[in-house]
Amino acid sequence: MTEKVVIAGAVRTPIGSVGGGLSPLQSEDLAVTVIRSLIEASGLDPTLVEYTCMGWVMQDPRSPNIAKTAAELAGVPCTSPGTTFHENCASGGAAIHSLTRRIMLGEVSLGIAGGVESLSNVPRYLFSGRTKGQLYGDMTLFDGLFGALTDTHVGDKGELMGLLSERLVERYELTREEQDEIAYRSHHGALEAWESGAFDGYVVPVEIPQRRGEPKIVSRDEGPRPVTMEELAAARPYFKRDGGTITALNASSVNDAAAAVLLTTEERAQELGLQCLAELRGFFNIGVAREYMGEGAFKVIQPLLERTGLTIEEIDLFEINEAFAAVLASAFHYLPELPQDRTNLWGSGISLGHPVGCTGARQVVDMTHQLRRRGQSIGLTSRCVGGGMGSGEILIAR
């Protein structure tokens, strides 16, 4: 990178379970909340926001181009443009990458990037009914959420992402026990982080309006819980019933959340008196075979390091998104030098959750604060992407 792009603000909402505390809010509501909270937390004059980028997978025609609309509803001037990104699980990361490029090219000097998802509110679709040949007969609704979790181009009828990840189990000779251990560490790491106050201050409470009385407040992630190894071992295989190893407990959940960062140049941050939390040193995407889409989360690491001139040994903290424990277990097999004691210390997709369009941005937000709160310097975030991709970033604490 020729221009240093810095993160001058980073916040996220709590991550809600499907049907949980955040489910009454649509994605647009969550996006407005997180953008407004970011502006308030950084003390920024919203008229200075030059561009907004947001990732969103399950896009809804009721909120076209959510980046522009949510920013405007949060107080950003209508003259500031915005772009919404769909890159499956990397959508929030794609928004950050795109805004960073705009800043590097000198198109803008300051903007907001993030991601949002409300999987509680994914529509069911009717794909029939607009041609003359469909005047009569029953019509079938298609479940948008189930469809998003399926790669229709694998096998004769398509395969769920969990079934694709069973392919990793075979390729990397993973055991059920090591996957359950990853799930255990994820939940307990997230719980310890919450109890220690690690998430305080930047995970912003969300108000849920009620018909009567005061609004309810959602202030904490709903996923982390004190699971036991016995409970994990007792769970039945979910995707591959005969001989499978992936269960509902060692896979990520489906969730609602939003996250956002304030990106600018070092010079502009100093000019405006903004606090530089981290530098976005590098980012990268790769493609992998869609049948082994989970490989993207770890195969992106080496080229990302090469682009930034760093080695695994120089990275202080990693977060490799736990779409499934099998993804992280495969990463440890593929990269034996990857330090388990510096990876996913605050949990990840299994415990915190995986609100797909938000996840990439959520990882960057959490890593920004984790580096600073642990007194560490360099962090790497990465994720696998449905359809066969890997996406990641390297951050330098400031």
Short mmCIF file of all heavy atoms in Angstrom, two decimals, residues 69-138:
data_model
loop_
_atom_site.label_atom_id
_atom_site.label_comp_id
_atom_site.label_asym_id
_atom_site.label_seq_id
_atom_site.Cartn_x
_atom_site.Cartn_y
_atom_site.Cartn_z
N THR A 69 -28.55 4.20 2.12
CA THR A 69 -29.74 4.53 2.89
C THR A 69 -29.47 4.56 4.38
O THR A 69 -29.87 5.50 5.09
CB THR A 69 -30.85 3.51 2.60
OG1 THR A 69 -31.14 3.52 1.20
CG2 THR A 69 -32.11 3.83 3.38
N ALA A 70 -28.78 3.54 4.91
CA ALA A 70 -28.51 3.48 6.35
C ALA A 70 -27.63 4.63 6.80
O ALA A 70 -27.84 5.21 7.87
CB ALA A 70 -27.87 2.14 6.70
N ALA A 71 -26.63 4.98 5.98
CA ALA A 71 -25.76 6.11 6.34
C ALA A 71 -26.56 7.40 6.42
O ALA A 71 -26.40 8.20 7.37
CB ALA A 71 -24.63 6.23 5.33
N GLU A 72 -27.42 7.60 5.45
CA GLU A 72 -28.23 8.83 5.45
C GLU A 72 -29.15 8.87 6.66
O GLU A 72 -29.29 9.91 7.31
CB GLU A 72 -29.03 8.90 4.15
CG GLU A 72 -29.76 10.21 3.95
CD GLU A 72 -30.41 10.31 2.59
OE1 GLU A 72 -30.00 9.58 1.66
OE2 GLU A 72 -31.33 11.13 2.45
N LEU A 73 -29.79 7.75 6.99
CA LEU A 73 -30.67 7.71 8.16
C LEU A 73 -29.89 7.88 9.46
O LEU A 73 -30.46 8.27 10.48
CB LEU A 73 -31.44 6.39 8.18
CG LEU A 73 -32.46 6.21 7.05
CD1 LEU A 73 -33.05 4.80 7.07
CD2 LEU A 73 -33.58 7.25 7.17
N ALA A 74 -28.59 7.59 9.42
CA ALA A 74 -27.75 7.75 10.62
C ALA A 74 -27.17 9.15 10.74
O ALA A 74 -26.44 9.43 11.69
CB ALA A 74 -26.62 6.72 10.59
N GLY A 75 -27.46 10.02 9.75
CA GLY A 75 -27.00 11.40 9.85
C GLY A 75 -25.98 11.83 8.83
O GLY A 75 -25.57 13.00 8.81
N VAL A 76 -25.55 10.90 7.96
CA VAL A 76 -24.60 11.26 6.90
C VAL A 76 -25.36 12.02 5.82
O VAL A 76 -26.49 11.66 5.48
CB VAL A 76 -23.94 9.99 6.33
CG1 VAL A 76 -23.06 10.32 5.13
CG2 VAL A 76 -23.13 9.28 7.42
N PRO A 77 -24.78 13.08 5.25
CA PRO A 77 -25.49 13.86 4.23
C PRO A 77 -25.91 13.02 3.02
O PRO A 77 -25.21 12.07 2.64
CB PRO A 77 -24.48 14.92 3.82
CG PRO A 77 -23.51 14.99 4.95
CD PRO A 77 -23.45 13.62 5.55
N CYS A 78 -27.02 13.39 2.40
CA CYS A 78 -27.50 12.66 1.22
C CYS A 78 -26.55 12.79 0.05
O CYS A 78 -26.62 12.02 -0.91
CB CYS A 78 -28.89 13.16 0.83
SG CYS A 78 -28.94 14.88 0.27
N THR A 79 -25.66 13.76 0.10
CA THR A 79 -24.69 13.97 -0.98
C THR A 79 -23.52 13.00 -0.91
O THR A 79 -22.69 12.96 -1.81
CB THR A 79 -24.15 15.40 -0.92
OG1 THR A 79 -23.70 15.68 0.42
CG2 THR A 79 -25.23 16.41 -1.30
N SER A 80 -23.44 12.20 0.18
CA SER A 80 -22.37 11.22 0.32
C SER A 80 -22.83 9.88 -0.24
O SER A 80 -23.82 9.32 0.22
CB SER A 80 -22.00 11.06 1.81
OG SER A 80 -21.02 10.06 1.98
N PRO A 81 -22.14 9.34 -1.25
CA PRO A 81 -22.60 8.10 -1.88
C PRO A 81 -22.29 6.87 -1.03
O PRO A 81 -21.58 6.93 -0.02
CB PRO A 81 -21.83 8.08 -3.20
CG PRO A 81 -20.60 8.87 -2.93
CD PRO A 81 -20.97 9.91 -1.92
N GLY A 82 -22.82 5.73 -1.48
CA GLY A 82 -22.57 4.47 -0.79
C GLY A 82 -22.73 3.30 -1.72
O GLY A 82 -23.45 3.37 -2.71
N THR A 83 -22.08 2.19 -1.38
CA THR A 83 -22.14 0.98 -2.19
C THR A 83 -22.31 -0.23 -1.27
O THR A 83 -21.64 -0.32 -0.24
CB THR A 83 -20.86 0.81 -3.03
OG1 THR A 83 -20.67 1.97 -3.84
CG2 THR A 83 -20.96 -0.42 -3.92
N THR A 84 -23.20 -1.13 -1.67
CA THR A 84 -23.47 -2.35 -0.90
C THR A 84 -22.83 -3.54 -1.61
O THR A 84 -22.90 -3.66 -2.83
CB THR A 84 -24.99 -2.56 -0.76
OG1 THR A 84 -25.55 -1.40 -0.13
CG2 THR A 84 -25.29 -3.78 0.08
N PHE A 85 -22.22 -4.43 -0.82
CA PHE A 85 -21.43 -5.54 -1.37
C PHE A 85 -22.01 -6.89 -0.99
O PHE A 85 -22.44 -7.10 0.14
CB PHE A 85 -19.99 -5.47 -0.85
CG PHE A 85 -19.25 -4.26 -1.36
CD1 PHE A 85 -19.41 -3.03 -0.75
CD2 PHE A 85 -18.43 -4.35 -2.47
CE1 PHE A 85 -18.75 -1.91 -1.23
CE2 PHE A 85 -17.77 -3.24 -2.95
CZ PHE A 85 -17.93 -2.01 -2.34
N HIS A 86 -22.01 -7.79 -1.96
CA HIS A 86 -22.38 -9.18 -1.72
C HIS A 86 -21.20 -10.04 -2.13
O HIS A 86 -20.91 -10.20 -3.31
CB HIS A 86 -23.62 -9.55 -2.52
CG HIS A 86 -24.13 -10.94 -2.25
ND1 HIS A 86 -23.31 -12.04 -2.17
CD2 HIS A 86 -25.38 -11.41 -2.02
CE1 HIS A 86 -24.03 -13.11 -1.92
NE2 HIS A 86 -25.30 -12.76 -1.83
N GLU A 87 -20.49 -10.57 -1.15
CA GLU A 87 -19.37 -11.47 -1.39
C GLU A 87 -19.49 -12.65 -0.41
O GLU A 87 -18.52 -13.08 0.19
CB GLU A 87 -18.04 -10.72 -1.20
CG GLU A 87 -16.84 -11.40 -1.86
CD GLU A 87 -15.58 -10.57 -1.75
OE1 GLU A 87 -15.39 -9.67 -2.60
OE2 GLU A 87 -14.78 -10.81 -0.82
N ASN A 88 -20.73 -13.10 -0.24
CA ASN A 88 -21.02 -14.17 0.71
C ASN A 88 -20.37 -13.86 2.06
O ASN A 88 -20.47 -12.74 2.53
CB ASN A 88 -20.61 -15.53 0.14
CG ASN A 88 -21.63 -16.02 -0.89
OD1 ASN A 88 -22.77 -15.59 -0.92
ND2 ASN A 88 -21.20 -16.94 -1.75
N CYS A 89 -19.73 -14.81 2.67
CA CYS A 89 -19.21 -14.62 4.04
C CYS A 89 -18.15 -13.53 4.15
O CYS A 89 -17.80 -13.12 5.25
CB CYS A 89 -18.63 -15.93 4.56
SG CYS A 89 -19.75 -17.33 4.41
N ALA A 90 -17.62 -13.08 3.03
CA ALA A 90 -16.60 -12.04 3.04
C ALA A 90 -17.16 -10.66 2.74
O ALA A 90 -16.41 -9.70 2.53
CB ALA A 90 -15.51 -12.36 2.02
N SER A 91 -18.48 -10.50 2.75
CA SER A 91 -19.09 -9.24 2.32
C SER A 91 -18.63 -8.05 3.15
O SER A 91 -18.33 -6.97 2.63
CB SER A 91 -20.61 -9.35 2.35
OG SER A 91 -21.06 -10.34 1.46
N GLY A 92 -18.60 -8.22 4.48
CA GLY A 92 -18.12 -7.13 5.33
C GLY A 92 -16.67 -6.81 5.07
O GLY A 92 -16.26 -5.64 5.08
N GLY A 93 -15.86 -7.84 4.83
CA GLY A 93 -14.47 -7.61 4.46
C GLY A 93 -14.35 -6.92 3.12
O GLY A 93 -13.52 -6.02 2.93
N ALA A 94 -15.20 -7.29 2.16
CA ALA A 94 -15.18 -6.68 0.83
C ALA A 94 -15.47 -5.18 0.92
O ALA A 94 -14.87 -4.38 0.20
CB ALA A 94 -16.20 -7.35 -0.08
N ALA A 95 -16.40 -4.80 1.80
CA ALA A 95 -16.71 -3.39 1.99
C ALA A 95 -15.49 -2.63 2.51
O ALA A 95 -15.19 -1.52 2.05
CB ALA A 95 -17.89 -3.24 2.95
N ILE A 96 -14.78 -3.24 3.46
CA ILE A 96 -13.57 -2.60 4.01
C ILE A 96 -12.49 -2.52 2.94
O ILE A 96 -11.83 -1.48 2.79
CB ILE A 96 -13.09 -3.39 5.24
CG1 ILE A 96 -14.09 -3.22 6.39
CG2 ILE A 96 -11.69 -2.93 5.66
CD1 ILE A 96 -13.80 -4.09 7.60
N HIS A 97 -12.30 -3.58 2.17
CA HIS A 97 -11.28 -3.58 1.12
C HIS A 97 -11.58 -2.48 0.09
O HIS A 97 -10.69 -1.76 -0.34
CB HIS A 97 -11.23 -4.93 0.42
CG HIS A 97 -10.92 -6.08 1.31
ND1 HIS A 97 -10.85 -7.39 0.86
CD2 HIS A 97 -10.66 -6.15 2.64
CE1 HIS A 97 -10.57 -8.19 1.86
NE2 HIS A 97 -10.45 -7.46 2.96
N SER A 98 -12.85 -2.38 -0.31
CA SER A 98 -13.22 -1.42 -1.35
C SER A 98 -13.00 0.02 -0.89
O SER A 98 -12.45 0.85 -1.63
CB SER A 98 -14.67 -1.62 -1.77
OG SER A 98 -15.03 -0.68 -2.76
N LEU A 99 -13.44 0.32 0.33
CA LEU A 99 -13.25 1.69 0.82
C LEU A 99 -11.77 2.00 0.98
O LEU A 99 -11.33 3.12 0.68
CB LEU A 99 -13.99 1.89 2.14
CG LEU A 99 -13.90 3.30 2.72
CD1 LEU A 99 -14.42 4.36 1.75
CD2 LEU A 99 -14.66 3.38 4.05
N THR A 100 -11.00 1.01 1.40
CA THR A 100 -9.55 1.22 1.52
C THR A 100 -8.95 1.57 0.16
O THR A 100 -8.11 2.47 0.06
CB THR A 100 -8.88 -0.04 2.10
OG1 THR A 100 -9.43 -0.31 3.40
CG2 THR A 100 -7.38 0.15 2.23
N ARG A 101 -9.37 0.86 -0.88
CA ARG A 101 -8.86 1.19 -2.23
C ARG A 101 -9.23 2.61 -2.63
O ARG A 101 -8.42 3.32 -3.22
CB ARG A 101 -9.44 0.20 -3.24
CG ARG A 101 -8.94 -1.22 -3.10
CD ARG A 101 -9.44 -2.09 -4.25
NE ARG A 101 -9.16 -3.50 -4.00
CZ ARG A 101 -10.04 -4.38 -3.56
NH1 ARG A 101 -11.29 -3.98 -3.34
NH2 ARG A 101 -9.71 -5.64 -3.36
N ARG A 102 -10.45 3.02 -2.34
CA ARG A 102 -10.87 4.38 -2.69
C ARG A 102 -10.00 5.41 -1.99
O ARG A 102 -9.65 6.45 -2.57
CB ARG A 102 -12.34 4.58 -2.31
CG ARG A 102 -13.32 3.77 -3.14
CD ARG A 102 -14.76 3.99 -2.68
NE ARG A 102 -15.69 3.09 -3.36
CZ ARG A 102 -16.23 3.32 -4.54
NH1 ARG A 102 -15.94 4.44 -5.18
NH2 ARG A 102 -17.05 2.45 -5.09
N ILE A 103 -9.65 5.13 -0.74
CA ILE A 103 -8.78 6.06 0.01
C ILE A 103 -7.37 6.04 -0.57
O ILE A 103 -6.75 7.08 -0.76
CB ILE A 103 -8.79 5.70 1.50
CG1 ILE A 103 -10.18 5.94 2.11
CG2 ILE A 103 -7.73 6.50 2.27
CD1 ILE A 103 -10.35 5.44 3.52
N MET A 104 -6.86 4.85 -0.87
CA MET A 104 -5.51 4.73 -1.45
C MET A 104 -5.40 5.46 -2.78
O MET A 104 -4.37 6.03 -3.11
CB MET A 104 -5.15 3.26 -1.62
CG MET A 104 -4.95 2.50 -0.33
SD MET A 104 -4.81 0.72 -0.62
CE MET A 104 -3.38 0.66 -1.69
N LEU A 105 -6.49 5.43 -3.56
CA LEU A 105 -6.48 6.07 -4.87
C LEU A 105 -6.72 7.58 -4.79
O LEU A 105 -6.68 8.27 -5.82
CB LEU A 105 -7.55 5.43 -5.77
CG LEU A 105 -7.26 3.99 -6.22
CD1 LEU A 105 -8.50 3.38 -6.86
CD2 LEU A 105 -6.08 3.97 -7.18
N GLY A 106 -7.03 8.06 -3.60
CA GLY A 106 -7.26 9.49 -3.45
C GLY A 106 -8.66 9.93 -3.84
O GLY A 106 -8.94 11.12 -3.92
N GLU A 107 -9.56 8.95 -4.06
CA GLU A 107 -10.93 9.30 -4.42
C GLU A 107 -11.65 9.96 -3.25
O GLU A 107 -12.42 10.90 -3.43
CB GLU A 107 -11.67 8.04 -4.86
CG GLU A 107 -13.11 8.26 -5.27
CD GLU A 107 -13.80 6.97 -5.66
OE1 GLU A 107 -13.11 5.98 -5.98
OE2 GLU A 107 -15.05 6.94 -5.62
N VAL A 108 -11.42 9.42 -2.04
CA VAL A 108 -11.97 10.00 -0.82
C VAL A 108 -10.88 9.95 0.24
O VAL A 108 -9.87 9.24 0.10
CB VAL A 108 -13.21 9.24 -0.31
CG1 VAL A 108 -14.34 9.30 -1.33
CG2 VAL A 108 -12.88 7.79 0.04
N SER A 109 -11.08 10.67 1.33
CA SER A 109 -10.09 10.66 2.41
C SER A 109 -10.64 10.09 3.70
O SER A 109 -9.87 9.81 4.63
CB SER A 109 -9.57 12.08 2.67
OG SER A 109 -10.61 12.92 3.17
N LEU A 110 -11.97 9.90 3.78
CA LEU A 110 -12.57 9.38 5.01
C LEU A 110 -13.93 8.76 4.68
O LEU A 110 -14.71 9.33 3.92
CB LEU A 110 -12.73 10.51 6.03
CG LEU A 110 -13.31 10.15 7.40
CD1 LEU A 110 -12.71 11.03 8.49
CD2 LEU A 110 -14.84 10.26 7.43
N GLY A 111 -14.19 7.60 5.26
CA GLY A 111 -15.48 6.95 5.02
C GLY A 111 -15.75 5.87 6.04
O GLY A 111 -14.93 5.60 6.94
N ILE A 112 -16.90 5.25 5.93
CA ILE A 112 -17.35 4.19 6.83
C ILE A 112 -17.52 2.91 6.04
O ILE A 112 -18.07 2.92 4.94
CB ILE A 112 -18.68 4.58 7.51
CG1 ILE A 112 -18.44 5.73 8.51
CG2 ILE A 112 -19.30 3.38 8.22
CD1 ILE A 112 -19.72 6.30 9.08
N ALA A 113 -17.02 1.80 6.62
CA ALA A 113 -17.18 0.49 5.98
C ALA A 113 -17.60 -0.52 7.04
O ALA A 113 -17.16 -0.44 8.19
CB ALA A 113 -15.89 0.05 5.31
N GLY A 114 -18.43 -1.46 6.64
CA GLY A 114 -18.87 -2.47 7.60
C GLY A 114 -19.70 -3.55 6.97
O GLY A 114 -19.64 -3.77 5.75
N GLY A 115 -20.49 -4.22 7.79
CA GLY A 115 -21.33 -5.29 7.30
C GLY A 115 -22.52 -5.49 8.21
O GLY A 115 -22.49 -5.10 9.38
N VAL A 116 -23.56 -6.08 7.66
CA VAL A 116 -24.80 -6.27 8.42
C VAL A 116 -25.50 -7.54 7.95
O VAL A 116 -25.36 -7.94 6.79
CB VAL A 116 -25.73 -5.04 8.26
CG1 VAL A 116 -26.20 -4.90 6.81
CG2 VAL A 116 -26.92 -5.12 9.21
N GLU A 117 -26.24 -8.15 8.85
CA GLU A 117 -27.08 -9.29 8.49
C GLU A 117 -28.14 -9.49 9.55
O GLU A 117 -27.86 -9.40 10.75
CB GLU A 117 -26.25 -10.57 8.37
CG GLU A 117 -26.86 -11.61 7.45
CD GLU A 117 -26.79 -11.20 5.99
OE1 GLU A 117 -25.68 -11.15 5.44
OE2 GLU A 117 -27.87 -10.92 5.42
N SER A 118 -29.35 -9.75 9.11
CA SER A 118 -30.41 -10.21 10.00
C SER A 118 -30.97 -11.50 9.43
O SER A 118 -31.93 -11.49 8.65
CB SER A 118 -31.53 -9.17 10.15
OG SER A 118 -32.57 -9.68 10.98
N LEU A 119 -30.36 -12.61 9.80
CA LEU A 119 -30.81 -13.90 9.28
C LEU A 119 -32.17 -14.29 9.85
O LEU A 119 -32.85 -15.16 9.31
CB LEU A 119 -29.76 -14.97 9.54
CG LEU A 119 -28.45 -14.78 8.76
CD1 LEU A 119 -27.44 -15.86 9.10
CD2 LEU A 119 -28.69 -14.74 7.26
N SER A 120 -32.58 -13.61 10.93
CA SER A 120 -33.92 -13.84 11.46
C SER A 120 -35.00 -13.38 10.49
O SER A 120 -36.15 -13.82 10.58
CB SER A 120 -34.11 -13.10 12.79
OG SER A 120 -33.33 -13.66 13.82
N ASN A 121 -34.62 -12.47 9.60
CA ASN A 121 -35.62 -11.85 8.73
C ASN A 121 -35.42 -12.13 7.25
O ASN A 121 -35.88 -11.39 6.40
CB ASN A 121 -35.62 -10.33 8.97
CG ASN A 121 -36.19 -9.98 10.32
OD1 ASN A 121 -37.38 -10.13 10.56
ND2 ASN A 121 -35.33 -9.53 11.24
N VAL A 122 -34.72 -13.23 6.95
CA VAL A 122 -34.51 -13.59 5.55
C VAL A 122 -35.84 -14.01 4.93
O VAL A 122 -36.55 -14.87 5.48
CB VAL A 122 -33.49 -14.73 5.42
CG1 VAL A 122 -33.37 -15.19 3.97
CG2 VAL A 122 -32.13 -14.28 5.94
N PRO A 123 -36.22 -13.43 3.81
CA PRO A 123 -37.51 -13.77 3.19
C PRO A 123 -37.54 -15.19 2.62
O PRO A 123 -36.51 -15.82 2.39
CB PRO A 123 -37.64 -12.75 2.05
CG PRO A 123 -36.63 -11.69 2.33
CD PRO A 123 -35.52 -12.38 3.07
N ARG A 124 -38.75 -15.67 2.41
CA ARG A 124 -38.97 -16.84 1.57
C ARG A 124 -39.43 -16.31 0.21
O ARG A 124 -40.23 -15.39 0.14
CB ARG A 124 -40.01 -17.76 2.20
CG ARG A 124 -39.47 -18.49 3.43
CD ARG A 124 -40.53 -19.36 4.09
NE ARG A 124 -39.95 -20.23 5.09
CZ ARG A 124 -39.72 -19.89 6.36
NH1 ARG A 124 -40.03 -18.67 6.77
NH2 ARG A 124 -39.19 -20.75 7.20
N TYR A 125 -38.88 -16.87 -0.84
CA TYR A 125 -39.06 -16.32 -2.17
C TYR A 125 -40.03 -17.14 -3.02
O TYR A 125 -40.08 -18.37 -2.94
CB TYR A 125 -37.72 -16.25 -2.90
CG TYR A 125 -36.69 -15.39 -2.21
CD1 TYR A 125 -35.78 -15.94 -1.32
CD2 TYR A 125 -36.64 -14.03 -2.45
CE1 TYR A 125 -34.83 -15.15 -0.68
CE2 TYR A 125 -35.70 -13.22 -1.82
CZ TYR A 125 -34.80 -13.80 -0.94
OH TYR A 125 -33.87 -13.00 -0.30
N LEU A 126 -40.77 -16.45 -3.86
CA LEU A 126 -41.61 -17.07 -4.87
C LEU A 126 -41.00 -16.75 -6.23
O LEU A 126 -41.03 -15.60 -6.68
CB LEU A 126 -43.04 -16.52 -4.78
CG LEU A 126 -44.06 -17.14 -5.74
CD1 LEU A 126 -44.26 -18.63 -5.43
CD2 LEU A 126 -45.39 -16.39 -5.63
N PHE A 127 -40.41 -17.75 -6.86
CA PHE A 127 -39.71 -17.52 -8.11
C PHE A 127 -40.59 -17.71 -9.34
O PHE A 127 -40.12 -17.64 -10.46
CB PHE A 127 -38.49 -18.45 -8.20
CG PHE A 127 -37.39 -18.09 -7.23
CD1 PHE A 127 -36.90 -19.01 -6.34
CD2 PHE A 127 -36.85 -16.81 -7.22
CE1 PHE A 127 -35.88 -18.68 -5.45
CE2 PHE A 127 -35.84 -16.47 -6.34
CZ PHE A 127 -35.35 -17.40 -5.46
N SER A 128 -41.86 -17.99 -9.13
CA SER A 128 -42.78 -18.20 -10.24
C SER A 128 -43.81 -17.08 -10.28
O SER A 128 -43.98 -16.34 -9.32
CB SER A 128 -43.50 -19.54 -10.08
OG SER A 128 -42.59 -20.60 -9.97
N GLY A 129 -44.51 -16.96 -11.40
CA GLY A 129 -45.67 -16.09 -11.42
C GLY A 129 -45.62 -14.88 -12.31
O GLY A 129 -46.57 -14.09 -12.32
N ARG A 130 -44.58 -14.69 -13.13
CA ARG A 130 -44.51 -13.50 -13.98
C ARG A 130 -44.50 -13.83 -15.47
O ARG A 130 -44.17 -12.98 -16.29
CB ARG A 130 -43.28 -12.66 -13.62
CG ARG A 130 -43.35 -12.06 -12.22
CD ARG A 130 -42.30 -10.99 -12.03
NE ARG A 130 -42.28 -10.50 -10.66
CZ ARG A 130 -43.08 -9.54 -10.19
NH1 ARG A 130 -43.96 -8.97 -10.98
NH2 ARG A 130 -42.98 -9.15 -8.94
N THR A 131 -44.83 -15.06 -15.82
CA THR A 131 -44.90 -15.41 -17.23
C THR A 131 -46.28 -15.98 -17.55
O THR A 131 -46.99 -16.49 -16.67
CB THR A 131 -43.83 -16.46 -17.60
OG1 THR A 131 -44.15 -17.69 -16.95
CG2 THR A 131 -42.44 -16.01 -17.18
N LYS A 132 -46.67 -15.92 -18.81
CA LYS A 132 -48.02 -16.38 -19.22
C LYS A 132 -48.19 -17.88 -19.01
O LYS A 132 -49.29 -18.36 -18.83
CB LYS A 132 -48.26 -16.02 -20.67
CG LYS A 132 -48.41 -14.52 -20.91
CD LYS A 132 -48.68 -14.21 -22.37
CE LYS A 132 -48.84 -12.71 -22.59
NZ LYS A 132 -49.10 -12.37 -24.00
N GLY A 133 -47.07 -18.60 -19.03
CA GLY A 133 -47.16 -20.05 -18.85
C GLY A 133 -47.42 -20.47 -17.42
O GLY A 133 -47.48 -21.66 -17.13
N GLN A 134 -47.53 -19.49 -16.49
CA GLN A 134 -47.73 -19.83 -15.08
C GLN A 134 -49.04 -19.23 -14.56
O GLN A 134 -49.13 -18.78 -13.43
CB GLN A 134 -46.53 -19.31 -14.27
CG GLN A 134 -45.22 -19.99 -14.67
CD GLN A 134 -44.00 -19.28 -14.11
OE1 GLN A 134 -44.05 -18.09 -13.82
NE2 GLN A 134 -42.92 -20.00 -13.96
N LEU A 135 -50.06 -19.24 -15.42
CA LEU A 135 -51.34 -18.65 -15.03
C LEU A 135 -52.06 -19.48 -13.98
O LEU A 135 -52.84 -18.95 -13.19
CB LEU A 135 -52.23 -18.51 -16.27
CG LEU A 135 -51.80 -17.45 -17.30
CD1 LEU A 135 -52.71 -17.53 -18.51
CD2 LEU A 135 -51.85 -16.07 -16.69
N TYR A 136 -51.81 -20.82 -13.96
CA TYR A 136 -52.55 -21.70 -13.07
C TYR A 136 -51.59 -22.58 -12.28
O TYR A 136 -50.43 -22.74 -12.63
CB TYR A 136 -53.52 -22.58 -13.88
CG TYR A 136 -54.44 -21.80 -14.78
CD1 TYR A 136 -54.20 -21.76 -16.15
CD2 TYR A 136 -55.52 -21.10 -14.26
CE1 TYR A 136 -55.03 -21.03 -17.00
CE2 TYR A 136 -56.35 -20.37 -15.10
CZ TYR A 136 -56.10 -20.34 -16.46
OH TYR A 136 -56.92 -19.61 -17.28
N GLY A 137 -52.12 -23.16 -11.24
CA GLY A 137 -51.36 -24.14 -10.48
C GLY A 137 -50.74 -23.59 -9.22
O GLY A 137 -50.66 -22.38 -9.01
N ASP A 138 -50.31 -24.52 -8.36
CA ASP A 138 -49.69 -24.14 -7.09
C ASP A 138 -48.30 -23.56 -7.34
O ASP A 138 -47.64 -23.87 -8.34
CB ASP A 138 -49.57 -25.36 -6.19
CG ASP A 138 -50.92 -25.93 -5.80
OD1 ASP A 138 -51.89 -25.15 -5.77
OD2 ASP A 138 -50.99 -27.15 -5.53
#
